[in-house]
Amino acid sequence: MTLLGSGVLGGQIAWHSAYKGKTVTVYDIAEDALKHCRDMHDQYAAIYLADVGATEAEIVATSDRLTYTTDLAEAVAQTDLVIEAVPEIPDVKTSVYQEMADLLPEDALVATNSSTFLPSTFADATGRPEKFCALHFGNGIWAMNFAEIMAHATTARSTLIEITEFAIEIGMMPIPVRKEQNGYVVNTWTVALSNAAQTLVTNGVSTPEDVDRSFMKFGFPIGPFGMLDQVGMKTAYDVLSYWGAENADEQMTANASYIKENLLDKGLLGAQTGQGYYTWPDPTFLAPDFLAVPDISKVPEIVSLLMPH
C-alpha cells in the first residue's frame, strides 16, 4: 500500500498499517517532509511500546515494512491500495490524482483521507471512480481506532468490501457514512466544535485554557484547543479558510485569519512541532491543577477580568 502525504495523519496511517503487518510506501514531494515523518515514526515507536503494548521485535518489524520516497511513479508502481492524505486544498488533491492516474496498476484501489471533502469531488480525477471512496481516520489512530467509509455514486460494491476489510485488518472500527456528507460523521461535529471554540477566542470572549477547562469538566480528556493542536494549525486553517469562503461565513473566515496571524505566521504549527496553543509534549491541560477550583485568593484576579476594559 501507499500513503500520499507524510503529514500528521498520513504518517500515523503509514506507521499503524505497517505495525499491523502491511508493507507501506510513504510518498511526499519534499525530502524534508519525509525526514520529519521518519522522526515522527520514531516517536510513534515509543508510544506503541509504552501505550499499545508493542514489543521491541514488533517495532523493528514495523520499521522494516516502511519505505519513503519523493518519486510518485516508484511509490505507486506495485501498490494495491493508495490512501491520499495530502493537504485539504481541492486543487492540490485533484492535481495529485491526475498525475497518479496513469501510474497505477490496473487493480489498485484509491481512498481519500480527506477530513471534509466529498469523494465525488475527486472521483473523475482518479481515472478509476469505481475503485475510489473515502476512508477517513482519526488523529491518534492507535487510540482513536475508527475509520469512516463513504462512497460516491459510482463506487463499486467490491471496492467498499475491500476497503472495509482493510480497515478491520488494521484494527479500525468501520463507521459507514450512509450518504455523502461534508465532514463525514466525526468532523461534522468536531469542525463545528472547533469553530465555536475558536470564535470565543477570536472575539475575545474567552481564552483557550478556559474554553478547554469548561469542556473537560464534562469528563473529556482533552478540550477543543488541545484537539486543534493535535490536528495541526495548517489543517485547521485550511478547513476554516475554505469553508468560510465557500459558505460566506465571516466569523469562520475571521477564525481562520486569527489562526494564521497568531499561530501559523509565528511558526506555531501544533503538537507535531511542539508548540501551538499549548507546549507539547507536556501541555498545561495535563497538569494536575489544570481543572482545580480557584481558591479564594484568586477572586480579585478573576473579577478584574470581568470588569469593562
Side-chain angles (χ1 to χ4, degrees):
M1 63 174 288
T2 303
L3 255 296
L4 299 184
S6 62
V8 176
L9 262 176
Q12 289 184 18
I13 298 165
W15 174 266
H16 189 79
S17 298
Y19 176 71
K20 289 294 185 176
K22 305 298 182 182
T23 300
V24 184
T25 299
V26 183
Y27 165 81
D28 211 301
I29 60 173
E31 285 288 355
D32 286 350
L34 291 177
K35 180 183 182 304
H36 182 70
C37 183
R38 289 188 187 95
D39 292 342
M40 292 307 300
H41 284 172
D42 289 340
Q43 293 187 31
Y44 298 151
I47 291 171
Y48 277 53
L49 286 168
D51 299 337
V52 181
T55 65
E56 292 285 358
E58 287 172 330
I59 295 300
V60 171
T62 299
S63 297
D64 288 345
R65 296 186 192 107
L66 285 158
T67 58
Y68 309 82
T69 183
T70 57
D71 185 325
L72 182 58
E74 177 186 327
V76 303
Q78 300 182 47
T79 194
D80 57 357
L81 169 64
V82 174
I83 299 177
E84 171 270 305
V86 304
E88 287 291 278
I89 302 171
D91 289 347
V92 173
K93 291 182 183 291
T94 298
S95 177
V96 170
Y97 288 132
Q98 290 173 337
E99 183 181 357
M100 179 177 66
D102 293 334
L103 303 173
L104 285 169
E106 182 179 352
D107 294 333
L109 303 181
V110 181
T112 178
N113 180 58
S114 173
S115 58
T116 51
F117 298 122
L118 304 179
S120 58
T121 304
F122 310 109
D124 288 343
T126 69
R128 55 186 66 212
E130 75 285 355
K131 297 181 182 298
F132 177 65
C133 67
L135 179 65
H136 177 244
F137 296 85
N139 190 26
I141 188 172
W142 53 90
M144 304 296 286
N145 61 320
F146 65 83
E148 298 176 286
I149 302 167
M150 183 163 65
H152 64 90
T154 60
T155 304
R157 179 180 177 84
S158 59
T159 297
L160 296 173
I161 290 172
E162 289 187 54
I163 291 293
T164 303
E165 288 176 347
F166 168 79
I168 292 170
E169 285 169 1
I170 64 168
M172 298 295 107
M173 178 183 71
I175 298 179
V177 185
R178 288 162 171 77
K179 59 189 252 185
E180 283 196 304
Q181 155 85 11
N182 291 113
Y184 305 54
V185 173
V186 174
N187 277 332
T188 293
W189 63 265
T190 56
V191 170
L193 172 66
S194 298
N195 188 53
Q198 184 61 59
T199 295
L200 291 169
V201 171
T202 300
N203 295 348
V205 176
S206 191
T207 65
E209 292 80 7
D210 283 343
V211 171
D212 282 1
R213 282 187 178 97
S214 67
F215 189 79
M216 291 168 69
K217 278 294 186 180
F218 286 90
F220 296 98
I222 191 171
F225 288 97
M227 292 183 200
L228 280 173
D229 268 9
Q230 292 194 338
V231 167
M233 292 304 149
K234 180 64 167 61
T235 297
Y237 170 77
D238 286 344
V239 170
L240 295 181
S241 178
Y242 178 86
W243 289 109
E246 186 76 6
N247 297 329
D249 186 327
E250 293 183 3
Q251 183 65 62
M252 186 174 280
T253 299
N255 291 344
S257 296
Y258 182 99
I259 289 172
K260 182 178 186 300
E261 293 166 9
N262 292 278
L263 293 132
L264 284 179
D265 289 352
K266 298 177 180 178
L268 308 178
L269 306 184
Q272 192 176 30
T273 55
Q275 181 70 55
Y277 278 107
Y278 296 101
T279 300
W280 297 79
D282 299 307
T284 54
F285 66 78
L286 293 180
D289 62 345
F290 184 79
L291 297 180
V293 177
D295 61 44
I296 198 73
S297 68
K298 293 187 176 181
V299 169
E301 177 186 342
I302 294 170
V303 171
S304 70
L305 299 173
L306 301 172
M307 298 299 292
H309 297 288

